[in-house]
Amino acid sequence: MATITDATVHVTCPGRNYVTLKITTSDGVTGIGDATLNGRELAVASYLRDHVCPLLIGRDAHRIEDTWQYLYKGAYWRRGPVTMTAIAAVDVALWDIKGKVAGLPLYQLLGGAARDGVTVYGHASGDTVPELLQDVQRFLDRGFRAVRAQAAVPGLERVYGQRKGGGDTYEPADGSLPSVEDWDTGAYLDFVPSYMAAVREKFGYGFQLLHDVHHRLTPIEAARLGKSLEPYRMFWIEDATPAEDQEAFDLIRRHTTTPLAVGEIFNSVFDCQHLITRRLIDYVRASVSHAGGVTQLRKIFALAEPYGVRSGSHGAGDLSPVSFAAALHLDLSIPNFGMQEYMAHLPGYEEVFRTSWTFEDGLMHPGDAPGIGVEFDEDAAARYPYSPKYLPVNRLRDGSVHDW
């Protein structure tokens, strides 16, 4: 029996803050898991160091399901993003260890590949419609088969999803206090259909087109948006309304045939059980790191399969390469895969995380290295100390706080 002999937490900031859990066994095998919760990283780091890591020492490293249940049920105070992110880090690290011991990549342990590669979408944006069109072209020229389109709303100074400068990612979190963004729902609803029309007019329908609402709308406003976007054959609109009220999606569903995706802030199967079993969504976007790891997310996707709901896992740059690699392994193995978000990481990450995934012709593959296929350099991580950053706060024009 290989027991856990050490569990250490590393906080690093190669462009973004990441929390990495490293577990070592009595056989000298190591595994890593992502414990990043954007804007609340130190809360998870403390939960791991002070409450979880001491419980791991001496446990059988290969009893992954038992360890998951022990950490979930044994805490009494269940669920929530901090708890589930910490459990996810342990879970992924143990799967990484099991793959290394078996000499197999994680997807082989999950039943093998169900497809040749994982379709991913890139993030196109622009301060103007012509800039957005140029950015869509850039992704299509690189072979992407799916593109998310976000454009600045005229009259609003800052809008979610706008990338500044070069590269494929952006960092909305900054400063020691949250920045404030303004919002006008009416202006947004009037503007979005016009730039989706421009994208389709210029590039046609030979690729998948996506859009993120980012929880900004009421259910009836979301229904209006979905209806107005029907001519442009969206692959999905994401997070159209806050999902705490799962029944709200019934109202949206009754008014539009535009596919609905939600779930990047979900922490467990209970957050989406009603949405899935009532067929109120088309894609569940829960992530490996925030929904309890591979063990729990695999169960969520298994629940979704008989209801015709497919996966669409969150994969923004606020999840470390460890989380993204684990997601690719899961994507490759499940029968009801839909789409995988892919936002490249900021420069500096490659010094800390050495990855083995590949991208070709719009498809990604996690690679065949044993485990999850990511190596963590502790010395490099130490060169990038934690930097306090907060996500923005959103306010309407009258000053009231709105969903960001």
Side-chain angles (χ1 to χ4, degrees):
M1 179 179 73
T3 59
I4 297 172
T5 57
D6 190 46
T8 55
V9 180
H10 304 267
V11 182
T12 183
C13 187
R16 293 185 104 134
N17 288 312
Y18 297 120
V19 181
T20 304
L21 174 68
K22 180 179 179 181
I23 293 178
T24 304
T25 72
S26 55
D27 294 336
V29 181
T30 62
I32 53 175
D34 181 20
T36 306
L37 185 62
N38 197 356
R40 296 293 185 270
E41 300 90 355
L42 298 186
V44 186
S46 174
Y47 191 93
L48 283 168
R49 288 188 181 122
D50 299 333
H51 303 290
V52 173
C53 290
L55 304 178
L56 298 177
I57 306 305
R59 293 188 62 83
D60 186 342
H62 293 295
R63 295 184 63 176
I64 298 177
E65 180 69 39
D66 182 71
T67 297
W68 197 99
Q69 298 294 338
Y70 177 78
L71 296 177
Y72 179 79
K73 295 178 179 178
Y76 185 68
W77 308 108
R78 303 180 186 181
R79 302 164 64 186
V82 173
T83 295
M84 297 307 286
T85 301
I87 292 175
V90 175
D91 185 76
V92 172
L94 294 181
W95 278 108
D96 192 25
I97 289 169
K98 189 176 286 288
K100 290 176 179 177
V101 170
L104 294 171
L106 174 58
Y107 75 85
Q108 293 288 13
L109 302 182
L110 300 176
R115 55 195 46 81
D116 295 330
V118 174
T119 304
V120 297
Y121 68 89
H123 291 228
S125 68
D127 290 335
T128 64
V129 174
E131 287 183 7
L132 170 63
L133 297 178
Q134 292 177 4
D135 212 30
V136 172
Q137 183 72 68
R138 185 171 67 91
F139 281 97
L140 295 178
D141 288 346
R142 291 162 58 194
F144 278 82
R145 304 179 182 186
V147 180
R148 191 188 84 169
Q150 311 284 141
V153 178
L156 298 183
E157 183 176 352
R158 299 180 66 184
V159 176
Y160 164 80
Q162 296 308 110
R163 190 179 66 254
K164 303 297 182 184
D168 294 337
T169 190
Y170 65 97
E171 175 52 274
D174 60 4
S176 58
L177 292 174
S179 61
V180 177
E181 298 181 356
D182 57 346
W183 182 250
D184 186 320
T185 299
Y188 167 81
L189 288 173
D190 290 342
F191 183 59
V192 172
S194 67
Y195 71 74
M196 294 304 175
V199 171
R200 285 305 193 194
E201 181 178 356
K202 182 173 179 63
F203 301 107
Y205 289 79
F207 69 101
Q208 303 291 0
L209 182 60
L210 306 87
H211 178 69
D212 186 0
V213 184
H214 221 250
H215 314 105
R216 303 294 174 92
L217 304 178
T218 66
I220 198 64
E221 290 167 347
R224 173 186 162 191
L225 177 66
K227 189 71 173 179
S228 68
L229 293 179
E230 285 177 8
Y232 313 116
R233 207 173 74 200
M234 307 297 294
F235 187 81
W236 74 41
I237 57 173
E238 171 190 343
D239 291 342
T241 194
E244 288 93 336
D245 179 9
Q246 296 188 28
E247 291 186 359
F249 283 79
D250 179 62
L251 187 151
I252 305 172
R253 188 65 114 189
R254 280 185 272 131
H255 289 281
T256 181
T257 58
T258 295
L260 303 174
V262 71
E264 71 179 50
I265 62 172
F266 288 173
N267 305 132
S268 76
V269 68
F270 303 107
D271 294 324
C272 50
Q273 181 180 9
H274 180 86
L275 293 170
I276 290 171
T277 58
R278 300 299 177 90
R279 294 184 168 90
L280 300 182
I281 58 173
D282 302 278
Y283 301 91
V284 58
R285 298 203 64 248
S287 69
V288 169
S289 285
H290 298 154
V294 170
T295 296
Q296 173 76 355
L297 189 55
R298 189 183 184 197
K299 294 175 183 178
I300 292 174
F301 292 154
L303 172 66
E305 181 191 354
Y307 294 96
V309 177
R310 292 188 283 172
S311 73
S313 291
H314 181 53
D318 61 358
L319 301 176
S320 90
V322 176
S323 177
F324 184 69
L328 288 177
H329 285 281
L330 194 54
D331 295 335
L332 198 66
S333 66
I334 60 174
N336 57 326
F337 169 75
M339 186 73 72
Q340 172 65 55
E341 180 179 19
Y342 173 53
M343 182 186 287
H345 299 84
L346 292 168
Y349 89 92
E350 68 282 353
E351 298 178 41
V352 179
F353 303 96
R354 289 188 291 272
T355 63
S356 58
W357 63 59
T358 58
F359 173 86
E360 184 177 359
D361 192 27
L363 302 177
M364 294 193 75
H365 193 284
D368 288 310
I372 61 172
V374 178
E375 296 299 323
F376 179 68
D377 189 324
E378 296 180 44
D379 292 333
R383 294 196 295 270
Y384 294 96
Y386 170 76
S387 176
K389 298 178 186 293
Y390 282 88
L391 292 170
V393 171
N394 213 29
R395 291 185 182 273
L396 300 178
R397 290 187 184 274
D398 68 359
S400 56
V401 176
H402 193 58
D403 291 290
W404 188 83

